[in-house]
């Protein structure tokens, strides 16, 4: 059975000025450059009715009306999409399933409109989906909204992570400063090590250079190396003096 798409210009506004503006948009962007426009669509298969989707507060948003006779819009054209191999009984089963899955309150102008419904219906019938121009403006608007939402979420997430990292760094510096300010034998109470400003500078240098402060064991090792070098030099000196006297 042949599957036909019926396309309307969306002219259901109470304002004639708005309806004329939409007609001009569709004329320029669809008829002029083939980009798209603001359209309503419905699918016809088996019989003289077309099936589409719209908003309602309760119940399903799936509805039918005589082909090309939707009173809310201005009829534009019909497009043959292909042939379905399903029987009328199978098509009725698909429509019952869609009626449950597409409640009227879920209608959304950008992400779940009549054109999205027709795409889904055609997909289940096994025929090609709608031409891109039919719903291109809605898809572009939905993509822009999604990008804006993701960008805002990422900015909020980055801000949260920065604040959390700042709190951790502050607690670390405050803890080090507190520990170093405790008086110990052989160290003055007002030691510069206990200064938060000193700790902040040291912490900044530590992060930027990737180095770490020398420990006491490292200092002991350096002293031992220095003592060995001096002993070695002292052992070589007599040999040089004896050799000179021999000459």
């Amino acid at each position: 059975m042949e599957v036909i798409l019926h396309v309307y210009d969306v002219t259901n506004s109470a304002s004639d000025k708005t309806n004329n503006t939409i007609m001009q948009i569709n004329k320029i962007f669809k008829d002029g450059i083939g980009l798209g426009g603001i359209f309503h669509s419905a699918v016809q298969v088996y019989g003289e009715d077309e099936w589409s989707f719209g908003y309602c507060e309760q119940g399903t948003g799936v509805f039918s009306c005589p082909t090309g006779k939707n009173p809310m819009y201005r009829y534009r054209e019909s497009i043959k999409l292909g042939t379905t191999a399903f029987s009328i009984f199978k098509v009725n089963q698909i429509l019952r399933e869609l009626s449950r899955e597409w409640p009227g309150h879920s209608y959304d102008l950008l992400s779940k409109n009549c054109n999205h419904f027709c795409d889904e219906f055609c997909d289940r019938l096994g025929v090609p989906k709608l031409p891109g121009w039919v719903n291109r403006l809605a898809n572009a608007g939905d993509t822009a909204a999604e990008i804006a939402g993701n960008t805002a979420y990422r900015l909020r997430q980055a801000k949260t992570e920065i604040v959390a990292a700042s709190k951790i760094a502050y607690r670390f510096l405050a803890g080090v400063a507190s520990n170093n300010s405790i008086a110990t034998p052989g160290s003055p109470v007002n030691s510069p090590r206990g200064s938060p400003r000193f700790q902040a500078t040291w912490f900044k240098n530590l992060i930027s250079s990737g180095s770490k402060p020398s420990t006491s064991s490292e200092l002991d090792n350096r002293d031992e190396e220095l003592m060995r070098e001096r002993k070695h030099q002292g052992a070589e000196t007599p040999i040089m003096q004896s050799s000179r006297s021999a000459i």
Side-chain angles (χ1 to χ4, degrees), residues 151-213:
T151 301
Y153 169 77
R154 290 174 181 174
L155 288 175
R156 289 194 301 268
Q157 187 180 32
K159 180 180 178 181
T160 301
E161 292 176 354
I162 291 172
V163 171
S166 300
K167 289 181 179 179
I168 293 173
Y170 176 80
R171 287 197 296 268
F172 172 81
L173 296 177
V176 173
S178 177
N179 292 335
N180 288 333
S181 64
I182 299 175
T184 57
S187 64
V189 175
N190 295 325
S191 170
R193 292 181 177 270
S195 169
R197 183 177 181 181
F198 174 82
Q199 292 295 341
T201 303
W202 173 83
F203 186 65
K204 181 178 179 181
N205 292 335
L206 173 64
I207 294 175
S208 61
S209 64
S211 61
K212 61 180 181 179

Side-chain angles (χ1 to χ4, degrees), residues 32-234:
I33 61 179
L35 178 62
I38 304 173
F39 304 109
H40 170 79
S41 64
V43 174
Q44 177 189 3
V45 57
Y46 284 112
E48 298 301 321
D49 285 346
E50 62 184 32
W51 295 87
S52 191
F53 172 72
Y55 173 82
C56 62
E57 294 183 355
Q58 296 181 345
T60 181
V62 178
F63 67 94
S64 66
C65 68
T67 300
K69 304 296 185 182
N70 191 316
M72 296 182 63
Y73 311 107
R74 178 174 176 175
Y75 190 77
R76 167 176 278 266
E77 62 183 291
S78 63
I79 303 171
K80 295 180 180 180
L81 297 176
T83 303
T84 181
F86 293 135
S87 67
I88 188 173
F89 301 103
K90 179 62 176 178
V91 172
N92 286 335
Q93 179 185 347
I94 293 173
L95 284 169
R96 285 194 296 270
E97 293 172 353
L98 291 172
S99 295
R100 292 192 297 268
E101 297 169 7
W102 291 71
H105 65 79
S106 67
Y107 179 92
D108 184 88
L109 181 62
L110 295 181
S111 62
K112 196 172 184 179
N113 60 30
C114 57
N115 301 318
H116 295 105
F117 169 81
C118 290
D119 257 345
E120 180 67 21
F121 191 16
C122 290
D123 184 58
R124 297 196 188 189
L125 291 174
V127 298
K129 293 186 177 183
L130 280 61
W133 59 265
V134 175
N135 205 33
R136 182 166 288 130
L137 293 187
N139 291 333
D142 187 42
T143 300
E146 182 179 359
I147 291 173
N150 289 340
T151 301
Y153 169 77
R154 290 174 181 174
L155 288 175
R156 289 194 301 268
Q157 187 180 32
K159 180 180 178 181
T160 301
E161 292 176 354
I162 291 172
V163 171
S166 300
K167 289 181 179 179
I168 293 173
Y170 176 80
R171 287 197 296 268
F172 172 81
L173 296 177
V176 173
S178 177
N179 292 335
N180 288 333
S181 64
I182 299 175
T184 57
S187 64
V189 175
N190 295 325
S191 170
R193 292 181 177 270
S195 169
R197 183 177 181 181
F198 174 82
Q199 292 295 341
T201 303
W202 173 83
F203 186 65
K204 181 178 179 181
N205 292 335
L206 173 64
I207 294 175
S208 61
S209 64
S211 61
K212 61 180 181 179
S214 300
T215 62
S216 58
S217 59
E218 291 176 343
L219 293 176
D220 293 340
N221 292 336
R222 293 177 184 175
D223 292 338
E224 291 177 2
E225 291 178 0
L226 183 60
M227 291 296 295
R228 284 197 297 269
E229 291 178 359
R230 290 179 178 177
K231 289 181 180 180
H232 182 68
Q233 292 177 357

